[in-house]
Amino acid sequence: MTPDGFSRLAAAALAVGILLAAPGRAAGQAPDEIGIGRGSTPSPLVLEKVDGGRVDLGEYFGRRPVLLEFWATWCENCEALHPRMQEAHARYGDRVAFFAIAVAVGQSRRSVRLHLEKRPVAYPTLWDGTGQAVREFRTPATSYIVILDAGGRVAYTGMGRDQDLDAAIRALPAAEDDG
């Protein structure tokens, strides 16, 4: 097997691990919800930035809306979602805290840093090296988005390349667009 083929196989195997490690649908969760249930209040986490330093998400939860994107360098859906993330950040970044959370599946912190050198983002990228964020948000796969309202409650969850982030953010009272 080629090294590239092995990398893809390893990434696929580890992605299955995320799916198996993430708890199933929460009791009372609506059928169209994935991962953590709407209305849930997740525990604040402290994660490391991929470029050094730490971010205490508790400084944001319950103070302003927060958008979390769980992604990986090898995720094709994440790549396709990237322009929407950039547009949403450009439009709402002054009212919504954006964070990319790099999962520790099929990639290293170093490979994420190298990827970001070629394809930078305007918001912090955090490293979930222990999987604590994946577990807390019941992350089913990469390209998973969670949006918390200003009260710190889950207002939106979605997955895949075709998410309407604009509509999800506009549905937040504290993030309504003026124009």
Side-chain angles (χ1 to χ4, degrees):
M1 179 176 294
T2 68
D4 187 46
F6 179 77
S7 295
R8 285 191 182 127
L9 179 62
L14 290 170
V16 169
I18 281 181
L19 293 173
L20 295 176
R25 186 171 310 286
Q29 188 172 1
D32 64 333
E33 292 181 59
I34 55 172
I36 193 169
R38 281 186 225 133
S40 298
T41 305
S43 299
L45 307 168
V46 176
L47 296 173
E48 295 181 30
K49 292 183 184 178
V50 295
D51 57 359
R54 296 167 68 81
V55 171
D56 180 353
L57 292 174
E59 294 177 10
Y60 299 90
F61 291 6
R63 291 184 171 86
R64 65 187 290 196
V66 176
L67 184 149
L68 305 172
E69 175 194 20
F70 289 82
W71 74 279
T73 58
W74 46 262
C75 172
E76 292 177 14
N77 282 334
C78 301
E79 187 66 23
L81 186 59
H82 183 75
R84 289 181 189 206
M85 286 292 297
Q86 296 289 82
E87 290 167 11
H89 181 263
R91 188 167 192 180
Y92 300 106
D94 61 334
R95 292 169 274 172
V96 177
F98 282 68
F99 295 96
I101 299 179
V103 299
V105 176
Q107 62 186 359
S108 66
R109 191 176 186 167
R110 182 176 181 273
S111 68
V112 171
R113 277 196 305 264
L114 293 172
H115 178 84
L116 292 172
E117 286 175 12
K118 296 175 188 166
R119 194 141 169 98
V121 295
Y123 41 89
T125 300
L126 310 178
W127 176 244
D128 189 23
T130 64
Q132 84 182 78
V134 164
R135 288 186 300 279
E136 179 66 29
F137 289 93
R138 298 185 185 122
T139 304
T142 53
S143 77
Y144 178 57
I145 303 286
V146 177
I147 301 176
L148 305 177
D149 65 18
R153 291 172 304 278
V154 175
Y156 170 87
T157 61
M159 191 169 63
R161 62 182 61 209
D162 296 323
Q163 297 178 68
D164 188 348
L165 300 177
D166 188 61
I169 293 170
R170 287 179 62 86
L172 299 170
E176 286 180 307
D177 189 24
D178 299 328

